[in-house]
Amino acid sequence: MNKVKIKSNPYTREIAYLSFDEVTNQWVDVKQIDEKSRLRETDSERSFLPFKIKEIINIIIKEYYIKGREKVELHFEGTQDEFAEVATICERPDVKDKIDLIRENTILENARFIKGDIKEIFEKVNPIIESIVKDDESVVKGLNKVSQALDDVIPICVFGNYSAGKSTFINALIGAEILPSGGDPVTAKIYEIRRSTQPDWAQISFEFHDERIELSVEGSDYRVLKGNPENDLLVSIQKEIDESEEKNLYTIVRIALDLINSYEKKDRDEIEIGNVITLDVPYARTGVLGESSNSFVIFDTPGSNSNSNADHSKVLAEAMDGFSNGIPIWVTQYESIDSEDNASLCDKVLAIEALDKRFTMIVLNKADGSDLEEGGFSDEHIKEILEYKAVEKMYASGIFFVSSIMGLGGKNNGQFIDKFYRKTFRSQQEMYNDPEDEDYISLYTYNIMPEQIKQNAIDYSAENENLIYANSGLYCVEKEIENFGSKHSAYNKCQMVRAFLSTVIDKTNVRIDAKTKSLKMARDKSTQELDSKTLELKEAISKSSKNMQDEYETNSKEEVSTYASQKLIYSVDAEALAKMDAQKRTQHLSENNFDKKEDAYRESKDKFWEHLKESGQGLFNKNFIDNAKKMVDDVTKDIKEIQESKNRMDETEKELDKQTSDEIMKVGS
């Protein structure tokens, strides 16, 4: 029986394939024994295992299963989520007679179940990290980045050519017409769109002539929170709002954004508005994102083939600095998917560190106007699409066919502001809403996705009672975004914490070593200086004593003798008193074991640094969570012991000095 093992670690983005060697009775990496195996070609860095598992199983059957012989014994190590996906494939009729799936004892926790514990640990060690490396800007920046990631903030980066309908697609995700749209390049800036914390509140923030502008909309009430309301841009916004017949939150936001976006197009050479416009706005509760527990932040970029922002990929990277686990969504059209512009754009966007290349989404927008084959694509056509240059770069989670206008209409019940939106929706409403219509269409059935993932998408889309929303393909896109945010992104977040703490530990060890070396050098230098000063002092005292003695013997013997006999009458002389003081103090210190208290204080400090170094080095040996908690408890305990030891030593020394002084005063009186 042939035996194959899949070892998957979504935390470290590693997938290994092993074959069992009957001679050595050991598992051997396929890469070491079979140069021709297609398992060597699977790109674990580009995809999560569930997106690749059907392809992997097919390769294993082709290379290891022999017809008429025993089934291939497939062993699996990984998370429960991944095992469930593997088991689903192995239960298929065309697979179950060829594969015998076995779950190994090595089990990784699903990230979404341990993320809460990791967040709790991180919050405990955060103050310790800040106190140790607070002067390191990269560490402070990393702290903020990890904290934001653990708060479930997930960026969605929407990019593509200006004619692809990015703004309409983002309006559909939000569920409201807020971004300007049209046939010409309309987005001149990068929009950072966050979901508002309140259903009746929105805020727009941007830089205008190096002045911070903040506009607030509460229901139908518009206010300027920051900035000069008398500048010409804000005056024009106020005028347009006053003249508008309809005044609600989305209408006011749309008016403001339209004027902000078009402001620099009025034959102005000077750049007056900052590159990034931040918007907080409520997402429609009729859509998946509006109900999500994740905090999705949508980034809208200028079209790659427009002149409005030639360096927009660089600006986008700067705008997303501090984010992580981002979802790249490439919006294009079915007819123009294979273009050089798109291929170049994909390279630039995928280079942005904040984006997760394993979950890229390709959205073919305006699919309602595309000439799609009835009954779906043939396998040959799908293969051709997947071989397009730009698609090869981007394909991971799937290619999604979408009508953003119909999806938006499905969310807002066809209530549009834009006339073109309204006419398009009304003209196609029946074909998306009436199963009896001869042109009835479900765009999600055209999606090109991993087979088992697509079947699940078809099932949940078919169950949605809002037929227009589901059939537009938008519902499927939002569900997959939510799936990434709730399930897959947690692995990145956990791994980010691990990598960050490893960096902090390494930097702390470097600081400890440097501090130890510095203290040793300072101690050696002080010892040398002290020895030198001591020698100089001894010589000076010796010389001075001899001079004083000679002078005394020559000139003052009689005077001193007379004065001492008549005036200085003490029961104990000064030298004897000083000697007595030293003896008494030494006696008291010895009787009270003061040297042991000094030793205890030094030992408590040495133990703190030793524990810190040992805990850091052993943090990831076995159980990360338990080790991290133990590290926090040990550090806290050691610091407490150092302070208590110091207090005991100081108090004892103070009491003994007072006791010695009191006794000496009695003797001298």
Side-chain angles (χ1 to χ4, degrees), residues 159-162 166 185-191 261 264-265 271 273-277 300-319 345 348-349:
F159 64 96
N161 293 337
Y162 73 81
K166 296 191 311 324
V186 292
T187 304
K189 302 294 179 182
I190 289 177
Y191 286 91
N261 189 70
E264 289 178 358
K265 293 182 180 180
I271 296 177
I273 298 176
N275 286 321
V276 181
I277 298 171
D300 181 24
T301 67
S304 63
N305 50 352
S306 72
N307 295 321
S308 56
N309 193 338
D311 201 18
H312 76 281
S313 59
K314 179 181 178 182
V315 176
L316 176 61
E318 293 173 353
L345 175 62
K348 292 179 180 178
V349 173

Side-chain angles (χ1 to χ4, degrees), residues 115-156:
K115 191 183 69 175
D117 292 335
I118 289 178
K119 181 178 180 180
E120 181 181 346
I121 291 172
F122 184 76
E123 289 174 348
K124 287 183 177 180
V125 302
N126 201 332
I128 298 174
I129 295 172
E130 288 181 334
S131 65
I132 294 176
V133 285
K134 59 185 176 181
D135 57 335
D136 191 320
E137 291 185 5
S138 65
V139 172
V140 175
K141 184 178 179 180
L143 278 172
N144 296 333
K145 191 172 183 177
V146 173
S147 297
Q148 185 166 242
L150 291 175
D151 286 337
D152 294 325
V153 176
I154 302 171
I156 301 173

Side-chain angles (χ1 to χ4, degrees), residues 541-552:
I541 292 174
S542 177
K543 183 177 181 180
S544 177
S545 297
K546 189 174 186 310
N547 292 338
M548 291 175 64
Q549 184 178 356
D550 291 344
E551 183 180 353
Y552 171 77

Side-chain angles (χ1 to χ4, degrees), residues 250-286:
Y250 291 122
T251 302
I252 294 173
V253 170
R254 178 185 174 90
I255 289 172
L257 291 183
D258 189 40
L259 290 172
I260 293 169
N261 189 70
S262 61
Y263 184 78
E264 289 178 358
K265 293 182 180 180
K266 301 175 182 178
D267 299 325
R268 288 180 166 88
D269 295 327
E270 181 185 358
I271 296 177
E272 301 176 85
I273 298 176
N275 286 321
V276 181
I277 298 171
T278 303
L279 171 63
D280 293 85
V281 66
Y283 293 4
R285 302 296 293 273
T286 51

